[in-house]
Structures are given as structure tokens and as C-alpha cells.
Amino acid sequence: MTRLTKLSRSIAGKIALVTGAASGMGRATACLFADEGAKVAVLDRNGEGVATVVKEITEAGGTAQGWTLDLAQGEKIAPTVVEIAEHFGGLDILINNAGIDASGRIQSSKYEEVWERCFTINLAAHHRLIRAALPYLSKSGAGRIVNIASTEGVGGSAFSSPYTAAKHGVVGLTRALAVELGTQGVTVNCICPGAIHTGLTAAIPDKAKETFARRRVPLRRYGEPEEVAHATLSLVLPAASYINGATLVVDGGFTIQNNGGTLSPS
Ligand code: NAI
């Protein structure tokens, strides 16, 4: 059939940098983008994990190259982004996904330390990556940035204030840069995942996950990394050309309930 519409849903040939790509949602996103024909820079502090994901993609016939970097080393971010762009010949898509859990009571003696580390990795690394990637993204003609925030970026939980504050920061950074960078042809959006089965939630006992999902999530289960990766893909498509500054919640309906999140038993 002759196509009746103009916009493309293909990222084949696009160059994408995914941070935190050795595990969880980052790995799922790197694999999905490779499946879709993108050339993927797999970046993570976990060198072994990076090598595994790159092998997985290349053995499946995709294109990927790995970079091992701890994003807490802020001064190394810009040179690494330049290296990635030079290796692939540009950069079209940046996925700011790497993040750490950082819970802590406000009165904890370690609070300052937890706050500092959380903000360095969960927020400051995002602006450093964006600043370094921008010259390439704006040359792309259809530059795309997706920041991975959290449902903690739209609501709050006790004992989680450093993480919640940083994730609200990710939403704010997204909105301000969407306004600022729109004129450069670069869109900036963010995803707020709910409870997802990844390395970050691996230590939560299965029973606790089941209870949480049954009581609080309308879909009554945790999400899978690939379900978030598909939402991320939808924001970087050439056809997503008019989506800018959006906050896309991917949480099985967790945050929109008006009954206090207490589901009736089933
Ligand atoms: P994960 O632990 O499976 O993956 C995170 C990856 O980021 C790991 O491979 C880790 O090595 C990497 N990373 C962490 N700190 C780094 C650093 N300093 N430098 C470089 N790489 C680093 O966790 P997940 O869940 O896939 O996390 C991805 C993002 O999703 C994070 O930003 C997290 O805050 C967010 N998120 C996760 C949720 C969940 O339920 N799993 C819910 C909401 C948001």
C-alpha cells in the first residue's frame, strides 16, 4: 500500500547514547534501540555489564560500542561524549537513564552524604551529559533527549527525600530545557517509571513487591524494563517531532488513583 502519512516511526541509522545501559531499563532501551536499527553507545560504570550488553547486541546483528564511566566523575563526562560522537560520526539521541536509589531519613547522620551523591548522579550528570551532547544533537536536525525521572518526580514518599528531590529536579530540568532547546530543533522529554523489575528493586523481597502491586497498582503487578523502553522509544521517533517538555508516566496507573491508592481485594 502507498503510505498515506509522512512521519517516520523508524530510528534506523540514528546514533543513540544510553547511560546506565548495563542493567534494567537502560539495558532494555539499548537492546530495543539496537533492534530498531540504531547505533548504540552503551555507557555504564559497570564495565562487565557494558561488555555483556555490547556482546548481546552485536551477536544479534546490531551495532553497539561500550564506554565504562562512573558519572560521578563529572569532569570525564564531556570528553567521553566527544569520543562517542567521534566514534559514530554524530549523536541524535541522548537517554539520561543512569540512577541510584538514595533513601534516607532527614535526621540520618549520613543525610548530607546521601544527598550529595544522589544529586551528583541522579541530576548533575544529566545536565553535564546534555551540555556535552548538545552541539551534536542540534546538528542532528531531529535531536532527542529523554530523561528518566520517576513517579518520585511527581509525588513523594517518606524516607526518600534526596531521591524525590533529585527526581523532581529531573522533571524541572526537562521542562526548562524543552523551552530553551526547542529553537535548536532538540526535544526534551522525561519518563516517570513506577515500580519496575530491575537491579534497583532487586533487593525488595518478592512478597513485598506482590503486596505493593496488589494494593497500589491498578494493573496489579510490577512493570518490566522493556515496557518502559518502548515508552522511551516513542519519544525519540522522528514522528515524535511535536512532543516537547512532556512527562510520560509509565506506572500501571499507580499515580492517578483518587482513592488513596487502596485497591479493593481480588
Ligand atoms: P538498575 O540498577 O537496574 O540500572 C541502573 C544502571 O545505572 C546500572 O547498570 C548502574 O551500574 C548504572 N549506574 C548507576 N550509577 C552510575 C554511575 N554513577 N555512573 C554510571 N552508571 C551508573 O536500575 P533501573 O531501575 O533500571 O534504573 C534506571 C533509572 O530508572 C534510574 O534513573 C532510576 O532512578 C529510575 N527508576 C527506577 C525505578 C524502578 O522501579 N526500578 C522506578 C523509577 C525510576
Side-chain angles (χ1 to χ4, degrees):
M1 175 184 165
T2 310
R3 285 192 65 84
L4 300 172
T5 55
K6 292 194 202 81
L7 297 175
S8 161
R9 294 185 60 82
S10 170
I11 58 163
K14 298 279 184 193
I15 301 156
L17 163 57
V18 183
T19 71
S23 173
M25 289 181 256
R27 180 198 153 273
T29 304
C31 290
L32 176 61
F33 284 14
D35 273 354
E36 297 299 314
K39 300 172 194 165
V40 185
V42 173
L43 186 149
D44 202 287
R45 66 178 170 192
N46 171 1
E48 214 176 295
V50 166
T52 305
V53 174
V54 169
K55 188 162 176 269
E56 205 175 353
I57 292 174
T58 48
E59 282 184 359
T63 305
Q65 182 76 31
W67 276 267
T68 302
L69 176 68
D70 184 341
L71 293 170
Q73 297 177 292
E75 75 290 353
K76 295 202 175 155
I77 291 178
T80 306
V81 171
V82 171
E83 205 181 300
I84 290 167
E86 282 177 359
H87 174 84
F88 286 117
L91 190 62
D92 304 295
I93 299 167
L94 168 64
I95 310 297
N96 272 320
N97 164 81
I100 53 165
D101 187 17
S103 47
R105 283 173 182 272
I106 185 75
Q107 283 152 312
S108 155
S109 59
K110 298 249 168 73
Y111 193 82
E112 291 263 2
E113 205 180 294
V114 171
W115 177 280
E116 193 59 40
R117 184 155 175 75
C118 178
F119 270 72
T120 301
I121 296 162
N122 290 0
L123 185 56
H126 288 36
H127 79 63
R128 292 187 176 124
L129 280 147
I130 292 168
R131 281 162 56 86
L134 198 53
Y136 307 100
L137 295 173
S138 51
K139 265 193 218 136
S140 152
R144 302 273 185 267
I145 298 170
V146 177
N147 298 317
I148 306 300
S150 167
T151 46
E152 288 298 318
V154 290
S157 302
F159 316 125
S160 156
S161 55
Y163 186 81
T164 307
K167 291 300 188 179
H168 273 69
V170 173
V171 174
L173 181 75
T174 301
R175 289 179 174 159
L177 291 182
V179 178
E180 189 171 330
L181 302 184
T183 53
Q184 299 186 33
V186 177
T187 65
V188 191
N189 293 290
C190 73
I191 301 262
C192 291
I196 312 293
H197 281 129
T198 67
L200 204 84
T201 53
I204 301 171
D206 287 347
K207 189 82 195 140
K209 283 181 177 145
E210 275 167 33
T211 307
F212 170 81
R214 199 173 59 246
R215 291 189 181 155
R216 306 292 305 276
V217 184
L219 292 182
R220 296 184 185 243
R221 64 177 176 83
Y222 262 49
E224 297 304 323
E226 205 178 312
E227 295 179 291
V228 179
H230 276 278
T232 305
L233 173 63
S234 73
L235 296 175
V236 304
L237 298 173
S241 42
Y242 207 57
I243 305 176
N244 192 27
T247 301
L248 177 56
V249 176
V250 184
D251 69 350
F254 170 60
T255 48
I256 48 82
Q257 300 167 83
N258 61 5
N259 62 354
T262 311
L263 294 168
S264 56
S266 72

